[in-house]
Amino acid sequence: MSDDLKNRLSDAVDTAFDRQIAFLSELTSHPSTRGNEQSAQEFMAGELAARGYEIDRWQIDIDEIRHLPGFSPVLGPYEDAVNVVGIHRGRGENGRSLILNGHIDVVPTGPLDMWDSPPFEPRVDEGWLYGRGGGDMKAGLASNLFALDALTACGLVPAADVFFQSVVEEECTGNGALACLARGYTADAALIPEPFAEHVVTAQLGVLWFQVHLKGLPTHVAYAGTGSNAIEAAIPLISALHEMEHRWNAAENRPADYAHMDHALNLNIGRIEGGDWTSSVPAWCVFDVRMGLFPGQSIDDAKAEIEQVIMEAARENAFLRNSLPEIVYHGFHAEGYALSQDGSARAADAISALERAHHGITGDALEREAITATTDARFFGLYADTPALVYGPRAEAIHGFNERVELESMRRVTKATALFIADWCGTEKV
Amino acid sequence: MSDDLKNRLSDAVDTAFDRQIAFLSELTSHPSTRGNEQSAQEFMAGELAARGYEIDRWQIDIDEIRHLPGFSPVLGPYEDAVNVVGIHRGRGENGRSLILNGHIDVVPTGPLDMWDSPPFEPRVDEGWLYGRGGGDMKAGLASNLFALDALTACGLVPAADVFFQSVVEEECTGNGALACLARGYTADAALIPEPFAEHVVTAQLGVLWFQVHLKGLPTHVAYAGTGSNAIEAAIPLISALHEMEHRWNAAENRPADYAHMDHALNLNIGRIEGGDWTSSVPAWCVFDVRMGLFPGQSIDDAKAEIEQVIMEAARENAFLRNSLPEIVYHGFHAEGYALSQDGSARAADAISALERAHHGITGDALEREAITATTDARFFGLYADTPALVYGPRAEAIHGFNERVELESMRRVTKATALFIADWCGTEKV
């Protein structure tokens, strides 16, 4: 790529950057937690349509994806789960096609009083934008869109097909990205600007979600000895799960990407609910668990071991023995994925192109990172033979309070993305 | 009392017993959980009015009771908390006045699928009536009412004032009974037919309710090591509370009524709730605790020790140390009460009268029992110098699934109550 084009693209991002911040701010103001993504998707579709992209917008049909590898079970209907794709058709025949992917869903805020300012009233302070979803990953959606805008501002369009995906369900199943795949969207590479501090993600973990339902005979607390407390019965099961977590993290189980991490796989008790009345011995308790898996670890084997661990612990408990827990899978059946293990020329080319773009903007070498979370990259990498580059801005406290994203980092990523698109897809005149 | 009157009262109860079962069944069909007592109270007021009792019906005003001994704190308003009292004025001057007390509120059902039949669609099967609240304590309310009816059927009324109380809030604070006291209702004795198998309760425990609120900084589970799990932080606090429970139950701390019980004081974790999202480290957790106290144990000392135990355990926890729990008192501040310790002649007279009535109907001696729960008896005994007799039918699984009350036991208690009223209050012609 010529220095001239690089400079023009960079300048175009700078010129539009105030508008990009305003866009990010408006997008972040939509409280697009699971089930509530509609207004944010409406906004995205409007912005894409205004730029002339062809819009594909559809409700996820679970029957079209449930048989596919990578599908995660869900509780409840998908009537409110709508994906948006903006389509650019390249006229040329030499460019490589690209998927620019980002998720619109955000995780819940938690108690509002722990935020310094309302999570869906984004504010900019000393170079950071604060708000739920600002970092994870609406800044990435903004970066994808304004990178394409920079080409437009230079009188250029990608010389290949580009599919701009705004998907739901990344935070619980990935079925939004899977539905895009099922709908036929494939490309030569995918870029997902998840907020990992301008590093390229070379490996990501798998994730399993499950609920443990405990139920038993309660009684008046006056006779607590004859009843059984379903809440306290959860405690030995949680201990047993942590012992399993410890085993899975043992050095001999770690693949190369995670060899240096003592505790890559985190087991999280994310929710708990049980009992109805302070003076009734609780008859029921449900707790939600998230467990990480290494790339290469089988989902089925992991589930079998989890079930065994829970049932063994339950059988040692006088109460649970007679009323064994029910395990319900209510989300992620996500396999791990390692771009580092993709030996294809296309993967090498894609990484090289991103390295050039990153270096072209920052002057620094692109750092590689194995992350301890999952992303939608697995669908492209594992089930569509498409190298998926996860590369996005620096954010902090994602899933936490006062989540924030660094605006200068978003600027650099937007510029690098524009360069990457121009390099990977090639350009042609508008 | 003449054998003739005894037989006539007994026959009158038998004659009306089908109607009494129908009454109990209808009363049990009202789902009078806390906040939903209105329709049941409406029914009670209607039944009392139809019998000619003067009706006093009022909304509890927290400002009229909050300064009184025995008051328990509540979260939220009392707009829906209505007491009903039916009043009989005795014409004579020699009879002793009596409060017939029962509570209309019932505890939640828990998961409906654990009931063999719907909890608010009572059914009779092999001599038992099944349904939430049937035993605790709508059979007692029925017994009080139909005992008075038996006198009426014999052309008699009590020769002293009788106050028939149908109160709310017994299951969480006792503020319903306290509001009756604050409104001026006092008498020479009180009878409360709580379902303790036709025994007279000679001692009852105190009960404290509190919530422990944990809160802290969460994060994405990918970085679980840097966050802190508010749900798991509850576990060492629960352990510490159980150690306290163990100490309080030690032999040297037991009063005479409980000397023979290894574990009269039960600590119950009755509810728990925490976290918002499976893949977010939970920022908050709240658990509800019920703890028993011995009669004579100071509420203030108990609270101080509970707070100390929780804070000491919290300070040993890396996360909680920086974000100490909040303890919220959301219900019972109930002191223990021992009728056995009431050395007054009136108490002795009341117990004797109940013994005669019980023996007169059953042919058996009245058994005495120290119970491991609380009842509204404490308000009469501790704060109004009124001996309170807790004596009611046999029930099972109160606060549990398939709660049931034995109908023949209700019949016997109704008869004994009629005899007791006639004996204690004396009778005069209608």
Side-chain angles (χ1 to χ4, degrees):
Chain A
M1 186 182 306
S2 69
D3 275 358
D4 174 57
L5 178 55
K6 191 176 87 178
N7 291 336
R8 284 163 60 210
L9 288 170
S10 175
D11 289 348
V13 170
D14 288 336
T15 301
F17 199 62
D18 284 347
R19 271 190 287 123
Q20 185 175 349
I21 294 171
F23 170 92
L24 172 61
S25 189
E26 179 159 357
L27 186 57
T28 306
S29 74
H30 290 272
S32 54
T33 50
R34 179 64 201 95
N36 304 305
E37 308 89 341
Q38 295 85 354
S39 72
Q41 289 292 59
E42 178 77 29
F43 175 68
M44 286 302 304
E47 291 283 328
L48 288 162
R51 285 161 171 82
Y53 297 103
E54 176 192 336
I55 304 299
D56 184 15
R57 193 171 174 179
W58 76 100
Q59 184 179 311
I60 300 178
D61 182 347
I62 203 138
D63 291 328
E64 287 178 1
I65 58 172
R66 70 163 85 246
H67 60 288
L68 296 177
F71 175 74
S72 290
V74 281
L75 308 180
Y78 259 157
E79 280 158 23
D80 52 10
V82 171
N83 276 338
V84 170
V85 175
I87 300 164
H88 162 78
R89 296 284 174 195
R91 295 190 305 273
E93 291 183 356
N94 295 322
R96 289 166 294 193
S97 60
L98 180 64
I99 288 167
L100 296 170
N101 171 286
H103 65 83
I104 199 76
D105 56 317
V106 304
V107 299
T109 61
L112 292 177
D113 62 353
M114 297 196 67
W115 288 77
D116 291 339
S117 60
F120 295 116
E121 295 174 21
R123 67 185 163 89
V124 172
D125 189 17
E126 297 194 353
W128 295 78
L129 182 135
Y130 291 79
R132 167 60 81 236
D136 186 7
M137 62 169 286
K138 289 173 174 175
L141 285 161
S143 168
N144 281 346
L145 189 63
F146 282 80
L148 287 169
D149 283 357
L151 270 72
T152 310
C154 296
L156 299 172
V157 288
D161 291 349
V162 173
F163 305 110
F164 185 108
Q165 301 181 340
S166 176
V167 301
V168 293
E169 288 277 321
E170 192 274 345
E171 295 285 7
C172 44
T173 61
N175 289 341
L178 179 60
C180 288
L181 207 56
R183 204 165 173 88
Y185 291 108
T186 54
D188 294 317
L191 178 73
I192 309 179
E194 288 270 17
F196 291 103
E198 304 170 47
H199 302 164
V200 65
V201 172
T202 47
Q204 65 182 39
L205 294 179
V207 170
L208 254 177
W209 273 19
F210 55 97
Q211 294 181 325
V212 183
H213 292 245
L214 308 178
K215 208 181 245 188
L217 280 180
T219 178
H220 192 291
V221 68
Y223 315 111
T226 68
S228 298
N229 189 313
I231 293 170
E232 297 197 57
I235 296 174
L237 304 193
I238 292 171
S239 295
L241 287 167
H242 278 308
E243 283 167 27
M244 181 196 77
E245 174 192 19
H246 184 72
R247 289 196 305 274
W248 286 14
N249 274 297
E252 63 269 26
N253 295 328
R254 297 177 205 155
D257 286 303
Y258 295 93
H260 60 294
M261 289 192 207
D262 284 344
H263 203 282
L265 305 181
N266 287 307
L267 181 128
N268 186 52
I269 310 297
R271 286 188 67 246
I272 193 166
E273 205 179 342
D276 301 292
W277 191 250
T278 312
S279 279
S280 296
V281 181
W284 64 278
C285 181
V286 182
F287 61 96
D288 291 11
V289 188
R290 176 269 195 196
M291 181 63 204
L293 313 175
F294 285 123
Q297 208 175 341
S298 139
I299 296 276
D300 286 342
D301 290 354
K303 286 168 67 175
E305 185 166 348
I306 286 166
E307 289 165 22
Q308 187 188 355
V309 161
I310 290 171
M311 293 306 168
E312 269 177 20
R315 284 195 195 92
E316 284 176 22
N317 181 287
F319 160 48
L320 293 176
R321 190 183 300 139
N322 298 316
S323 180
L324 288 174
E326 186 190 359
I327 298 167
V328 173
Y329 295 96
H330 67 301
F332 282 123
H333 271 50
E335 293 184 272
Y337 163 59
L339 177 64
S340 64
Q341 304 304 307
D342 185 339
S344 69
R346 198 137 54 97
D349 286 352
I351 295 170
S352 296
L354 186 61
E355 283 174 333
R356 282 192 300 277
H358 178 79
H359 184 266
I361 295 302
T362 65
D364 297 325
L366 179 61
E367 282 191 51
R368 297 170 178 226
E369 182 178 352
I371 62 168
T372 53
T374 185
T375 79
D376 279 340
R378 68 189 181 278
F379 294 99
F380 306 104
L382 294 177
Y383 313 123
D385 200 20
T386 304
L389 305 167
V390 174
Y391 169 81
R394 175 182 303 279
E396 291 180 354
I398 60 172
H399 291 216
F401 302 119
N402 301 321
E403 175 179 350
R404 63 180 192 167
V405 61
E406 191 183 23
L407 294 174
E408 284 306 310
S409 178
M410 178 174 77
R411 185 199 299 262
R412 286 189 297 271
V413 168
T414 307
K415 291 179 178 182
T417 300
L419 266 55
F420 174 78
I421 296 169
D423 185 345
W424 183 259
C425 302
T427 58
E428 46 198 12
K429 294 243 162 80
V430 172
Chain B
M1 185 182 306
S2 69
D3 275 359
D4 174 57
L5 176 56
K6 191 176 88 177
N7 291 336
R8 284 164 58 211
L9 288 170
S10 175
D11 290 347
V13 169
D14 287 335
T15 301
F17 199 62
D18 284 347
R19 272 189 286 124
Q20 184 174 348
I21 294 171
F23 171 92
L24 172 60
S25 189
E26 179 159 357
L27 185 57
T28 305
S29 73
H30 290 271
S32 53
T33 50
R34 179 64 200 94
N36 304 303
E37 307 91 341
Q38 296 84 355
S39 72
Q41 289 291 59
E42 178 76 28
F43 175 69
M44 286 302 304
E47 291 283 328
L48 288 161
R51 285 162 170 80
Y53 298 102
E54 177 192 336
I55 303 299
D56 184 15
R57 193 172 174 178
W58 75 99
Q59 185 179 309
I60 299 179
D61 182 346
I62 202 137
D63 291 328
E64 288 177 0
I65 58 173
R66 71 164 84 246
H67 60 287
L68 295 177
F71 174 74
S72 290
V74 282
L75 309 180
Y78 258 157
E79 281 158 22
D80 52 10
V82 172
N83 277 337
V84 170
V85 175
I87 300 164
H88 163 77
R89 296 285 174 194
R91 295 191 304 272
E93 291 184 357
N94 295 324
R96 288 165 295 192
S97 59
L98 179 64
I99 288 168
L100 296 171
N101 171 286
H103 66 84
I104 198 75
D105 55 318
V106 303
V107 300
T109 62
L112 292 178
D113 62 353
M114 298 196 66
W115 287 77
D116 292 339
S117 61
F120 296 116
E121 295 175 20
R123 66 185 163 90
V124 172
D125 189 17
E126 297 195 352
W128 295 78
L129 182 136
Y130 291 79
R132 167 61 81 236
D136 187 6
M137 63 169 285
K138 289 174 174 176
L141 285 162
S143 168
N144 281 346
L145 188 63
F146 282 79
L148 288 170
D149 284 356
L151 270 72
T152 310
C154 296
L156 299 172
V157 289
D161 291 348
V162 173
F163 305 109
F164 185 106
Q165 300 181 341
S166 176
V167 302
V168 294
E169 288 275 321
E170 191 273 347
E171 295 285 7
C172 46
T173 61
N175 289 341
L178 180 61
C180 288
L181 207 57
R183 204 164 173 90
Y185 291 108
T186 54
D188 294 316
L191 177 73
I192 309 180
E194 289 270 17
F196 291 103
E198 304 170 47
H199 301 164
V200 66
V201 172
T202 47
Q204 64 182 39
L205 294 179
V207 170
L208 253 177
W209 273 19
F210 55 96
Q211 294 181 325
V212 183
H213 291 245
L214 308 177
K215 210 182 243 187
L217 279 180
T219 178
H220 192 289
V221 68
Y223 316 111
T226 68
S228 297
N229 189 312
I231 293 170
E232 298 197 56
I235 297 174
L237 304 193
I238 292 171
S239 295
L241 287 167
H242 278 308
E243 284 167 26
M244 180 196 77
E245 175 192 19
H246 185 72
R247 287 197 305 276
W248 286 13
N249 274 297
E252 63 269 26
N253 294 328
R254 298 178 204 154
D257 287 303
Y258 295 94
H260 60 296
M261 290 191 206
D262 285 342
H263 204 281
L265 305 182
N266 287 308
L267 181 128
N268 185 53
I269 310 297
R271 286 189 68 245
I272 194 167
E273 206 180 340
D276 301 293
W277 193 250
T278 312
S279 278
S280 297
V281 181
W284 64 278
C285 181
V286 181
F287 61 96
D288 291 11
V289 188
R290 176 269 195 196
M291 181 63 205
L293 313 174
F294 285 123
Q297 207 175 340
S298 139
I299 295 274
D300 286 342
D301 290 354
K303 286 168 68 174
E305 185 166 347
I306 286 166
E307 289 165 20
Q308 186 189 354
V309 161
I310 290 172
M311 293 307 169
E312 269 177 18
R315 284 194 195 92
E316 285 176 22
N317 181 287
F319 161 47
L320 293 176
R321 189 182 299 139
N322 298 315
S323 180
L324 288 175
E326 186 190 1
I327 297 166
V328 174
Y329 295 95
H330 67 300
F332 280 124
H333 270 50
E335 293 184 271
Y337 163 59
L339 177 64
S340 64
Q341 304 304 306
D342 184 339
S344 69
R346 197 135 55 98
D349 287 351
I351 295 170
S352 295
L354 186 62
E355 282 173 334
R356 281 193 300 278
H358 177 80
H359 184 266
I361 295 302
T362 65
D364 297 325
L366 178 61
E367 283 190 51
R368 298 172 178 225
E369 181 178 352
I371 61 169
T372 53
T374 185
T375 79
D376 279 341
R378 67 189 183 277
F379 294 99
F380 307 104
L382 295 176
Y383 313 123
D385 199 21
T386 304
L389 306 167
V390 174
Y391 169 80
R394 175 182 304 277
E396 291 180 354
I398 60 173
H399 292 218
F401 302 120
N402 301 322
E403 175 179 349
R404 64 180 192 167
V405 61
E406 192 183 21
L407 294 174
E408 284 306 310
S409 179
M410 179 174 77
R411 185 199 299 263
R412 288 189 296 273
V413 167
T414 307
K415 290 179 178 181
T417 301
L419 266 56
F420 174 78
I421 296 169
D423 185 345
W424 183 259
C425 302
T427 58
E428 46 199 13
K429 294 244 160 79
V430 171

